[in-house]
């Protein structure tokens, strides 16, 4: 079974700083997806960024980028120029391919990120 | 609406009562998931529906939990004889291939 580990329960940085959230996972599969989801106090889970395992290039999405190390099974999220609105729980998730391309996700325990003014 | 809709948003019940939680997925999404999020924890997979296939119930924690999806759209998660450890946020998600779209969850509190 796949497992996802986020070793940082909480992090706190000043506005405009760069912060990196770590995530490791364990799987025997070679074709899979990795995700970072953000959950603000509203409880709505929001997709931040997605990485396909067969792609070597690290995914980027504006101020968000990942460092995907497939051999090490590591998938960290870097937030540049952090903003107050980035304050949230961040979940790393692993998705394997199911029939018809749907995803069954396994989530880490989450990292609570606070951006201070 | 454009997103995944869940009701009720909050539910307080007494131990031993049955509860039903509802999920309206995004129109056209064939797959639907239920996850449970206990306080300060990550998301725990409960059950997954995909089209007309038999659901994947491997995450349901006990036989007090059941779910159905009628007409390939709306889903109901039922918890019978609720226990205090059932208190959590229950999140529903629907998906085309590649991404899960989540609702805002139903917070269940069992007194």
């Amino acid at each position: 079974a796949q497992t996802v580990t986020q070793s940082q329960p909480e992090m706190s940085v000043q506005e405009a700083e760069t912060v990196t959230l770590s995530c490791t996972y364990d799987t025997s599969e070679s074709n899979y997806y990795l995700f970072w989801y953000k959950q603000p106090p509203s409880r709505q889970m929001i997709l931040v960024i997605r990485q396909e395992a067969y792609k070597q290039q690290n995914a980027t999405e504006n101020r968000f980028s990942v460092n995907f190390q497939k051999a090490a099974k590591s998938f960290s999220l870097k937030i540049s120029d952090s903003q107050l609105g980035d304050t949230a729980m961040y979940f790393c998730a692993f998705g394997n391919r199911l029939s018809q391309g749907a995803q069954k996700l396994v989530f880490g325990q989450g990292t609570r990120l606070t951006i201070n003014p | 609406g454009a997103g995944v809709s869940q009701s009720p948003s909050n539910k307080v019940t007494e131990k031993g009562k049955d509860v039903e939680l509802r999920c309206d997925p995004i129109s056209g999404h064939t797959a639907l998931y239920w996850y449970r999020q206990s306080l300060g924890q990550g998301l725990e997979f409960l059950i997954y529906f995909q089209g007309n296939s038999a659901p994947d119930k491997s995450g349901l924690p006990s036989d007090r939990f059941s779910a159905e999806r009628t007409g390939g759209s709306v889903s109901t998660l039922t918890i019978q004889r609720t226990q205090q450890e059932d208190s959590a946020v229950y999140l529903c998600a629907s998906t085309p291939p590649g991404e899960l779209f989540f609702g805002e969850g139903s917070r269940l509190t069992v007194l």
Side-chain angles (χ1 to χ4, degrees):
Chain A
Q2 290 85 12
T3 59
V4 177
T5 303
Q6 293 178 248
S7 59
Q8 304 151 312
E10 295 187 22
M11 296 187 72
S12 178
V13 298
Q14 296 299 117
E15 191 176 8
E17 289 183 347
T18 294
V19 59
T20 299
L21 309 182
S22 64
C23 173
T24 58
Y25 59 95
D26 188 24
T27 184
S28 58
E29 300 184 19
S30 60
N31 187 18
Y32 51 87
Y33 291 78
L34 294 163
F35 304 82
W36 278 98
Y37 277 86
K38 168 184 177 181
Q39 187 182 40
S42 67
R43 296 199 311 240
Q44 181 80 54
M45 293 282 285
I46 302 165
L47 178 66
V48 174
I49 201 165
R50 173 177 60 202
Q51 175 79 41
E52 296 163 350
Y54 68 87
K55 291 186 176 179
Q56 292 185 334
Q57 185 173 7
N58 289 324
T60 63
E61 195 70 44
N62 300 316
R63 296 182 296 107
F64 299 87
S65 62
V66 299
N67 183 5
F68 174 45
Q69 301 290 329
K70 191 172 184 180
K73 297 179 181 174
S74 170
F75 183 61
S76 61
L77 174 70
K78 184 171 83 170
I79 306 174
S80 303
D81 185 27
S82 58
Q83 301 175 359
L84 297 179
D86 296 334
T87 293
M89 281 288 286
Y90 286 81
F91 291 97
C92 178
F94 171 99
N96 61 354
R97 280 195 160 275
L98 296 175
S99 60
Q100 301 181 43
Q103 299 277 328
K104 176 179 174 178
L105 298 189
V106 175
F107 287 83
Q109 295 293 84
T111 296
R112 183 176 301 281
L113 176 64
T114 302
I115 309 299
N116 298 308
Chain B
V4 178
S5 177
Q6 290 188 246
S7 61
S9 179
N10 289 282
K11 174 72 175 179
V12 179
T13 190
E14 294 179 347
K15 179 180 175 181
K17 300 283 190 180
D18 297 352
V19 297
E20 285 189 353
L21 307 177
R22 176 187 168 104
C23 173
D24 274 285
I26 294 172
S27 178
H29 284 190
T30 57
L32 185 147
Y33 300 77
W34 283 97
Y35 283 85
R36 177 168 72 175
Q37 185 179 23
S38 300
L39 185 63
Q41 300 296 311
L43 276 70
E44 174 190 7
F45 168 78
L46 296 178
I47 189 169
Y48 157 72
F49 297 90
Q50 171 64 54
N52 295 320
S53 303
D56 177 353
K57 304 179 182 180
S58 60
L60 294 179
S62 78
D63 59 7
R64 296 186 296 105
F65 287 73
S66 62
E68 62 177 19
R69 188 179 185 193
T70 54
S73 180
V74 172
S75 177
T76 302
L77 176 69
T78 302
I79 308 172
Q80 296 178 309
R81 305 181 302 282
T82 53
Q83 304 294 313
Q84 288 184 332
E85 60 263 30
D86 299 335
S87 296
V89 174
Y90 290 82
L91 290 162
C92 174
S94 71
T95 178
E99 180 180 346
L100 265 63
F101 291 83
F102 283 87
E104 294 187 356
S106 294
R107 181 180 298 280
L108 174 65
T109 302
V110 181
L111 301 178

